[in-house]
Amino acid sequence: MKRFWGFVIKEFYHIFRDFRTLLILFGMPAVQLLLFGYVITNEIKDARIAIYDQSKDEVTRRISEKILSSGYFLLDKNLQSIQEIEPVFKKGKVKLVVVYEPKFAEKLQKTGVANVQIISDASDPNTANILVNYAQGIINNYLVSINIGQVTMQIIPEIRMQYNPELKGVFMFVPGIMAMLLMLISALMTSLSITREKELGTMELLLVSPLRPIQIIIGKVLPYVLLAFADACIILLMGKFVFGVPIQGNVILLLAESLLFITMALSLGILISSITSSQQVAMTLSLVALMLPTILLSGFIFPIENMPVVLQWLCQAMPPKYFITIIKAIMLKGNSFIFIWKETLILIGFTTLFILISVKKFNIRLA
Amino acid sequence: MTQVSISVKAVTRKYGTHPALDAISFDVKKGELFGFIGPDGAGKTTLFRILTTLLLPDEGEATVEGLDVVKDYKKIRRIIGYMPGKFSLYMDLTVEENLKFYATIFGTTIEENYHLIKAIYSQIEPFRKRKAGQLSGGMKQKLALSCALIHKPVLLFLDEPTTGVDAVSRMEFWDMLKRLKEGGITILVSTPYMDEASLCDRVALIQDGKILQLSTPQQVVDHFPYELYNVSSGDIYNLLADLRNYPGMMSCYAFGQAAHISFIKETFRETHLRDFLKEKEHNQLTIEPINPNIEDCFMELMNR
């Protein structure tokens, strides 16, 4: 046992003396989270719009006011003619133009029908879609408010965005980033640290020593379990206090599941290092084989349901997918263990499989 | 009665189809300082790895202290000290941390076995807080040796310990080995430097996975079948070319600033060679008979 702890202490020396390792371990989670949280966002705030009001009456003024006071839109320009619409889009700043037909209020009064045109810059289709929906919603709301007291039939859907009422992107990114970073740190770092010993030739002496293979493996992994766990905590705390992502469910359960996922990723890292002998190969393999699937195939960014069937099957083999499901369930929905036992079991299965293969593959000799 | 420490019988190890070791057999006695001399790629490292249980032999068997290198690998690993060709040191750990680490994983402490390494370690102890990566080659070598010795092995494997180390450190290192040997440890050492061979009890000259000769350094020299002469002139480059054209010559090699040339015994006539070389416009000629050294013998063996 003393041997084992001596080995673990040595690993900590390696980690804390290498500035780059520390940077990856503690700098990356913060930077990634801030990046995803602030920069890559699909929420709309202060989109520039232009208004071409041919009517300039009470009703159009009120609607425009409502649109501009919603917080989503900022008035860039009041247009004076139809010819101005095209140039204003071409400049690129304005994303949406609202056009009221002449005598808008009068028509509305007399016939009950008035036309308002919403033109959107669809060179970015997602944004265009969202903007149009927002604008439409605001106009409909106004219509409902002036109809009160009148006898027209109406069905008003009351929409509630459960678990993420403000549709914040960060709610989606925090679980995703957690899966991605834990995967990266755990798998990449362990596979690197084992292959480094192979490259330096120190593995020769470790093998000749009375340390057993399992002791070498666990000794390599243990420091990273602790550090990756610290990372998980950092991400959760930042999510809560910087971005306001709630933790509805049991924190202990959440941490336990994170620990399970870390162990899974670490055993994958050991597996990678047992089939490679150079740091270069281990790194490439970790990045290509782990990072891309984690980002693309885990449901982190792209919904799995929309993928081709073959890719959907492939997604089932991606451990991060289950972890993301688990943390979303605990953090956002406040689910208890009963709802996620299946995913947990699958992660345990992956872990056991990887550990078994790597202990079997771990060579007690050099070749 | 001298006991056998290492016994190797017809061990072959192939990389692909190329044999790195070709049916090698030899014994090493207990307490012996045994040298493997041979050029790079001769199979020295492969042999060491088989004996330290890091590689499996394809054919043949070998025992270390009576233990089979295949079956009893765990037991062997406890009693041997091994210093691989690449010094197995952690460059980001200090001298002291390296030593402490190896002491710990072999289940001992620096204090317990300090007496074993004192003579060597005390030389680098003033730098014990320095990172191993910042040590000179000679100091790295001493540290690596200390690490290999810290668990009191009965048998020490040193794979090219003096490669990349300056001449003074090399001499110091061999002094240390002698002292260790006096302490009763069996030492197996490999080196590409022929001059180190004479410092061993017995040497095996090895090339292309085969042992060319195995005997004491003195016997190696005694077995040299020719008469050897040291020839120098003002123009060493042409001297070699010309000597190689001299009739009756058996072999001729550059050796420092001179050439070593060998002849079948009793066939050499000095005046004849002088005239031959003068004709080729060599001046400042010196020709003197010399005793062969290990390198001469090795060159001769390789050309057989």
Side-chain angles (χ1 to χ4, degrees):
Chain A
M1 217 46 202
K2 239 184 103 189
R3 284 179 190 152
F4 174 70
W5 287 114
F7 190 82
V8 173
I9 289 167
K10 186 214 75 167
E11 285 306 310
F12 272 114
Y13 282 143
H14 286 323
I15 295 167
F16 286 115
R17 281 185 192 167
D18 186 16
F19 178 68
R20 280 176 303 174
T21 311
L22 279 182
L23 201 66
I24 293 179
L25 275 177
F26 295 108
M28 211 161 70
V31 171
Q32 293 258 9
L33 200 60
L34 290 174
L35 267 182
F36 275 99
Y38 280 125
V39 184
I40 308 168
T41 166
N42 48 20
E43 292 161 51
I44 307 297
K45 231 170 78 186
D46 294 345
R48 302 249 161 197
I49 62 166
I51 296 174
Y52 177 34
D53 192 345
Q54 302 176 73
S55 176
K56 295 204 177 76
D57 53 46
E58 181 73 1
V59 180
T60 59
R61 223 193 59 240
R62 283 246 199 97
I63 294 177
S64 295
E65 249 168 37
K66 285 237 166 204
I67 290 176
L68 293 175
S69 62
S70 67
Y72 301 122
F73 302 108
L74 262 187
L75 182 63
D76 189 75
K77 205 176 177 188
N78 270 311
L79 304 181
Q80 304 305 329
S81 72
I82 213 104
Q83 280 78 25
E84 280 180 69
I85 294 175
E86 184 77 23
V88 102
F89 273 131
K90 284 208 166 144
K91 269 195 201 158
K93 229 162 135 193
V94 167
K95 300 291 173 206
L96 190 93
V97 174
V98 182
V99 182
Y100 302 100
E101 67 175 334
K103 296 177 185 164
F104 189 88
E106 213 183 301
K107 278 192 179 172
L108 195 62
Q109 276 294 323
K110 281 184 182 158
T111 63
V113 177
N115 286 318
V116 54
Q117 188 178 23
I118 298 172
I119 310 168
S120 175
D121 176 358
S123 53
D124 177 354
N126 283 333
T127 314
N129 230 333
I130 295 168
L131 286 178
V132 168
N133 281 338
Y134 282 175
Q136 218 170 358
I138 293 166
I139 294 170
N140 282 342
N141 269 346
Y142 175 75
L143 198 65
V144 170
S145 73
I146 57 170
N147 272 346
I148 288 170
Q150 293 187 10
V151 206
T152 33
M153 282 232 249
Q154 276 183 21
I155 296 172
I156 306 172
E158 210 169 276
I159 294 159
R160 198 171 138 215
M161 294 296 178
Q162 185 83 320
Y163 308 126
N164 186 358
E166 292 163 70
L167 292 176
K168 280 191 179 169
V170 116
F171 281 29
M172 185 173 98
F173 286 129
V174 166
I177 287 175
M178 209 156 131
M180 190 176 86
L181 280 177
L182 294 185
M183 192 82 174
L184 181 78
I185 289 165
S186 313
L188 182 65
M189 295 307 230
T190 39
S191 63
L192 281 188
S193 92
I194 293 180
T195 42
R196 184 165 52 215
E197 301 240 11
K198 286 189 186 174
E199 261 179 25
L200 285 176
T202 43
M203 196 50 116
E204 268 182 73
L205 262 194
L206 290 185
L207 287 175
V208 167
S209 80
L211 278 176
R212 276 177 294 155
I214 188 82
Q215 281 177 316
I216 297 180
I217 288 181
I218 295 181
K220 278 273 164 205
V221 159
L222 193 64
Y224 290 104
V225 172
L226 299 179
L227 292 170
F229 189 67
D231 266 340
C233 295
I234 292 177
I235 296 171
L236 288 177
L237 286 174
M238 269 183 71
K240 187 162 171 61
F241 292 108
V242 181
F243 297 107
V245 182
I247 301 174
Q248 306 282 9
N250 190 332
V251 178
I252 312 247
L253 178 63
L254 183 60
L255 293 181
E257 294 281 357
S258 306
L259 209 56
L260 173 64
F261 183 68
I262 290 168
T263 319
M264 191 287 307
L266 289 170
S267 47
L268 195 55
I270 299 166
L271 186 61
I272 289 175
S273 64
S274 65
I275 53 175
T276 54
S277 54
S278 81
Q279 292 191 66
Q280 196 87 50
V281 180
M283 181 129 105
T284 318
L285 205 64
S286 306
L287 286 178
V288 175
L290 301 183
M291 285 308 288
L292 289 180
T294 308
I295 297 174
L296 300 178
L297 298 180
S298 64
F300 167 21
I301 294 179
F302 306 110
I304 295 173
E305 295 78 13
N306 299 349
M307 293 179 189
V309 182
V310 180
L311 279 185
Q312 285 196 32
W313 291 339
L314 201 60
C315 291
Q316 305 305 315
M318 298 293 151
K321 171 195 173 244
Y322 300 98
F323 182 59
I324 291 179
T325 312
I326 290 173
I327 23 181
K328 274 187 181 165
I330 301 177
M331 283 180 77
L332 306 181
K333 299 186 190 166
N335 279 357
S336 60
F337 185 69
I338 313 162
F339 295 94
I340 50 171
W341 66 269
K342 236 196 300 185
E343 283 82 4
T344 310
L345 213 61
I346 292 173
L347 280 187
I348 293 175
F350 273 117
T351 313
T352 340
L353 181 73
F354 292 147
I355 290 181
L356 279 182
I357 300 178
S358 34
V359 169
K360 229 182 149 126
K361 279 232 140 200
F362 189 89
N363 226 323
I364 51 163
R365 296 193 167 83
L366 281 179
Chain B
M1 185 191 131
T2 50
Q3 290 166 296
V4 172
S5 172
I6 298 173
S7 167
V8 173
K9 287 193 188 77
V11 161
T12 297
R13 166 84 199 189
K14 289 186 181 118
Y15 290 114
T17 52
H18 171 75
L21 290 178
D22 195 353
I24 270 191
S25 302
F26 65 92
D27 285 340
V28 177
K29 295 181 208 119
K30 275 195 178 158
E32 203 170 23
L33 175 51
F34 193 97
F36 269 93
I37 321 290
D40 290 344
K44 301 185 299 272
T45 300
T46 306
L47 177 65
F48 273 53
R49 284 182 173 165
I50 286 176
L51 292 177
T52 52
T53 74
L54 286 171
L55 282 179
L56 293 173
D58 291 331
E59 289 161 37
E61 6 182 297
T63 59
V64 172
E65 294 290 316
L67 301 162
D68 188 275
V69 291
V70 179
K71 276 180 285 177
D72 304 321
Y73 73 93
K74 275 190 185 158
K75 284 183 193 153
I76 292 179
R77 289 177 181 187
R78 279 169 205 276
I79 58 167
I80 59 167
Y82 175 41
M83 186 169 150
K86 276 194 241 167
F87 298 141
S88 264
L89 299 172
Y90 295 98
M91 297 305 162
D92 53 342
L93 298 195
T94 65
V95 168
E96 200 174 27
E97 284 160 356
N98 265 294
L99 188 60
K100 199 171 168 204
F101 171 67
Y102 283 115
T104 314
I105 63 168
F106 278 94
T108 178
T109 59
I110 298 179
E111 294 73 32
E112 197 178 322
N113 287 324
Y114 187 76
H115 60 281
L116 279 173
I117 57 164
K118 187 164 180 267
I120 305 154
Y121 186 59
S122 59
Q123 296 177 36
I124 47 172
E125 217 170 359
F127 311 104
R128 65 178 191 279
K129 296 282 178 213
R130 197 184 282 188
K131 301 243 170 84
Q134 294 157 358
L135 295 177
S136 71
M139 291 203 284
K140 275 183 195 152
Q141 174 203 44
K142 281 170 193 148
L143 176 57
L145 182 62
S146 303
C147 292
L149 279 172
I150 191 67
H151 60 288
K152 205 178 175 183
V154 296
L155 195 69
L156 200 53
F157 291 92
L158 309 172
D159 191 9
E160 300 202 8
T162 53
T163 302
V165 171
D166 66 272
V168 178
S169 295
R170 272 170 60 191
M171 283 322 294
E172 279 178 6
F173 190 78
W174 279 92
D175 283 342
M176 284 185 267
L177 293 192
K178 264 186 207 156
R179 245 173 283 143
L180 285 173
K181 183 184 115 76
E182 282 157 18
I185 297 183
T186 309
I187 303 173
L188 210 70
V189 58
S190 76
T191 174
Y193 300 117
M194 315 267 172
D195 55 322
E196 292 178 345
S198 55
L199 304 166
C200 301
D201 292 335
R202 286 196 300 156
V203 291
L205 300 182
I206 178 170
Q207 193 197 14
D208 290 336
K210 288 192 180 107
I211 292 181
L212 301 178
Q213 190 172 16
L214 194 162
S215 53
T216 65
Q218 189 57 47
Q219 280 169 335
V220 172
V221 172
D222 290 347
H223 276 103
F224 191 71
Y226 306 119
E227 277 173 12
L228 191 68
Y229 292 86
N230 188 64
V231 182
S232 67
S233 89
D235 183 1
I236 178 72
Y237 177 75
N238 285 320
L239 178 69
L240 271 176
D242 292 337
L243 282 175
R244 282 185 180 143
N245 287 324
Y246 183 68
M249 179 264 337
M250 292 310 294
S251 69
C252 176
Y253 298 101
F255 218 95
Q257 285 304 305
H260 282 187
I261 183 165
S262 60
F263 298 96
I264 291 173
K265 281 178 184 166
E266 319 275 314
T267 63
F268 178 65
R269 300 286 173 271
E270 188 179 327
T271 46
H272 188 261
L273 179 62
R274 266 184 196 281
D275 292 344
F276 173 80
L277 288 174
K278 272 191 183 141
E279 215 169 89
K280 307 267 182 193
E281 293 171 4
H282 285 283
N283 42 30
Q284 299 164 3
L285 275 175
T286 60
I287 300 175
E288 50 186 359
I290 48 162
N291 287 322
N293 60 26
I294 295 269
E295 188 158 355
D296 294 313
C297 300
F298 193 77
M299 292 297 202
E300 189 273 321
L301 284 166
M302 280 197 338
N303 278 311
R304 243 182 224 181

